[in-house]
Amino acid sequence: MTTGADADEFERLVRPHLDRLYRLAWRLTGAEAEAEDLFQDIMVKACADLESLASVDEPGPWLSRLMYNRFVDGHRRRARRRLVVVDEGRLDSDGIAGFAADDDPLRESDSEQVAAILENALARLSEEHRIVVLLHDADGYKLTEIQELTGTPVGTLKSRLHRARARLRELLGAPDGT
Amino acid sequence: MTDDTPIDQELRALFEKLPAPRPKPGFYDRAIDAAVREREQGRVLHRSKLRWMLAGAGSAVAAGIVAVVVAGLLFDAERPRPDNAVASVHMTLDQPRTVSLVFAAGEPLENAQLTLTLPDGVEVDGFPGQRELRWETTLAAGRNRLPLTLVAVDGAGGDIVARLEHAARGRTFRLHVDVG
């Protein structure tokens, strides 16, 4: 049975790390609904194992590893089978009758559009490349932190980061299309 | 990394334009409360997501709808394929390719529903990992083209199934994807 003290302790331990965990969930899953599910799963798991959480020196990395392992273990597989109901306007082509000519994406000045273009390019990367470049370049993780999180050696991560950036440059430099 | 090139630095500057994902207001509090509640109850709550709709629906043939699945260039829309005909497209792994689905409607169709079911390893650009997509659309009388950028992320290929439904009527079309 949980006591009020347990609830307070749990909140005290996790609260400082919530933003970083939420961003990690987003980076891993790439979608809000899946990110929320993954985040919630981790909260439940961490709370159920409050004694372990309370015993670690650094709850942040512990929670991040818990999330990553959970993602790898099964969340990803379930998410892939979900039906997504989309807004037609989110489709790359602007939906049916989307005959508008493609513009050079990098000439777009609006930062929202630039972000959308970048996200679109990121979506074309393999998962392992997307995750490393997002964690490193967007969220400021050090390669050693990503190694700790994923168990992948720094040398491999460095190589993936290099290839991911090269692919992104290629994708962003070329007009979208066939 | 300390060996970033100027281009890498430009790329990183671009990342600064990526909005940091933020949860809905109150999400953290609700997540913590739910976790504590589940610990108290000692059980795993099976969360349902109303936002996700179940796939599948009726299968009556739409008298007013004909459709063509076209790979690459537009075929003659006046020669609709039969319901079970399978067009095909060849794709290269990780190389995006735009294919057009062409729907010819005998009359304007408001609030038609289009569902795409993708085989494992083929994705619609911008929706990584998603196997089914559904959205509402409006078709004009005559030809309507829907260009979709597809990406093959593994070599298995398979059939993309497009189902167009309007009112109680619907038709299903297939596009076979070979990856090599």
Side-chain angles (χ1 to χ4, degrees):
Chain A
M1 196 68 183
T2 306
T3 65
D6 285 345
D8 291 346
E9 173 74 346
F10 176 64
E11 180 160 1
R12 184 186 68 78
L13 289 168
V14 299
R15 181 69 74 176
H17 310 290
L18 297 183
D19 283 340
R20 191 168 168 97
L21 281 173
Y22 186 79
R23 279 200 303 276
L24 178 61
W26 248 102
R27 299 313 186 201
L28 293 173
T29 63
E32 184 180 33
E34 280 79 21
E36 287 184 357
D37 278 3
L38 181 57
F39 183 95
Q40 181 66 74
D41 284 350
I42 292 318
M43 287 297 105
V44 169
K45 208 170 168 59
C47 193
D49 196 7
L50 181 57
E51 294 70 24
S52 296
L53 174 64
S55 71
V56 296
D57 291 334
E58 295 182 284
W62 187 87
L63 289 162
S64 296
R65 273 196 305 278
L66 192 68
M67 178 173 281
Y68 184 80
N69 291 337
R70 176 71 174 171
F71 170 72
V72 170
D73 284 349
H75 200 91
R76 174 175 50 190
R77 198 178 321 122
R78 288 201 306 278
R80 289 173 75 88
R81 282 166 173 72
R82 283 188 170 139
L83 168 65
V84 176
V85 180
V86 300
D87 179 340
E88 189 179 12
R90 276 191 65 202
L91 291 171
D92 203 27
S93 59
D94 292 330
I96 278 184
F99 288 93
D102 289 334
D103 293 321
D104 180 348
L106 291 183
R107 286 185 188 163
E108 298 286 357
S109 57
D110 182 82
S111 62
E112 217 169 81
Q113 286 175 308
V114 172
I117 289 164
L118 182 56
E119 283 175 346
N120 200 28
L122 284 164
R124 293 190 191 172
L125 299 183
S126 69
E127 188 169 276
E128 60 188 21
H129 286 175
R130 181 173 54 80
I131 287 173
V132 73
V133 78
L134 276 171
L135 292 182
H136 187 274
D137 285 359
D139 289 344
Y141 281 66
K142 294 174 185 162
L143 289 177
T144 49
E145 291 176 302
I146 304 175
Q147 176 186 30
E148 194 181 339
L149 182 68
T150 65
T152 307
V154 164
T156 305
L157 292 171
K158 211 170 195 175
S159 165
R160 285 180 186 172
L161 182 60
H162 177 75
R163 288 202 298 271
R165 286 170 168 178
R167 178 72 176 134
L168 276 179
R169 288 197 298 269
E170 183 186 323
L171 288 167
L172 293 170
D176 203 349
T178 51
Chain B
M1 289 173 70
T2 56
D3 53 351
D4 284 0
T5 66
I7 294 175
D8 287 333
Q9 287 163 14
E10 277 182 34
L11 201 54
R12 293 186 72 164
L14 255 187
F15 273 105
E16 290 174 9
K17 297 183 188 300
L18 264 187
R22 296 288 308 166
K24 296 185 187 86
F27 174 72
Y28 290 161
D29 291 336
R30 290 194 299 276
I32 289 174
D33 288 347
V36 169
R37 207 164 46 244
E38 289 196 26
R39 178 179 160 94
E40 286 171 351
Q41 294 168 350
R43 64 180 175 81
V44 174
L45 181 67
H46 297 286
R47 292 178 301 284
S48 61
K49 289 280 181 185
L50 294 179
R51 79 191 92 192
W52 304 110
M53 297 170 59
L54 294 174
S59 59
V61 172
I65 306 171
V66 290
V68 189
V69 178
V70 182
L73 300 173
L74 299 180
F75 280 82
D76 182 357
E78 303 307 318
R79 297 167 54 203
R81 292 169 184 274
D83 211 17
N84 59 353
V86 180
S88 66
V89 60
H90 184 81
M91 297 189 66
T92 303
L93 201 60
D94 289 329
Q95 295 294 312
R97 179 163 187 189
T98 300
V99 301
S100 290
L101 308 184
V102 178
F103 299 90
E107 60 192 56
L109 300 175
E110 296 277 342
N111 303 318
Q113 193 167 71
L114 185 58
T115 303
L116 288 182
T117 305
L118 300 151
D120 281 340
V122 177
E123 299 176 349
V124 173
D125 196 13
F127 298 89
Q130 305 300 349
R131 302 271 63 83
E132 288 189 281
L133 301 173
R134 177 184 292 170
W135 66 97
E136 284 197 345
T137 190
T138 297
L139 278 74
R143 288 169 52 168
N144 299 263
R145 186 180 71 138
L146 172 63
L148 289 172
T149 302
L150 303 174
V151 185
V153 295
D154 75 30
D159 282 355
I160 294 174
V161 179
R163 178 160 182 81
L164 183 64
E165 293 174 295
H166 182 255
R169 306 173 305 178
R171 288 194 75 167
T172 301
F173 305 90
R174 289 176 186 276
L175 173 65
H176 183 71
V177 178
D178 281 317
V179 182

